[in-house]
Amino acid sequence: QVQLVESGGGLVQPGDSLRLSCAAFGFPLDEYDVGWFRQVPGKEREGVSCIRSTDGSTFYGDSVKGRFAISRDIAKNTVYLQMNSLKPEDTAIYYCSADCVVNSDDDIMPGAFDTWGQGTQVTVSS
């Protein structure tokens, strides 16, 4: 009933671009801050980006600043992550979450609502 569904991942070469989608079903996604996170085996989950529901302001992790852009389409109940200039170190499973929070050090973390999708695999390799 209440679900987030990620899509758009795939296998690409370094320097390529991908656009990930996070579609919400059963609840209005525009009422929540929405974040993108990624995780690889043996490493901690990393906050990638966060967009505020109130004014659409955006935040990014240091490793993706200048390369990734988060956006939303309220009519489609969907949040996107445009990923440019992809690097091998971007390889991970990417998840979207409602909510996200940003601390004083600009670290992106899940919020209290903490609703996740199943994830989409991004692999960057030559």
Side-chain angles (χ1 to χ4, degrees), residues 4 13 27 35-36 60 66 78 91 93 120 124:
L4 293 174
Q13 294 181 323
F27 70 101
W36 283 97
Y60 300 94
T78 300
T91 296
I93 302 175
T120 185
V124 185

Side-chain angles (χ1 to χ4, degrees), residues 68-95:
F68 291 9
I70 190 171
S71 62
R72 62 182 178 178
D73 187 329
I74 296 174
K76 295 182 178 180
N77 211 26
T78 300
V79 170
Y80 303 97
L81 183 68
Q82 179 67 45
M83 305 187 295
N84 300 322
S85 301
L86 284 163
K87 304 175 181 179
E89 49 264 47
D90 295 318
T91 296
I93 302 175
Y94 283 71
Y95 302 88

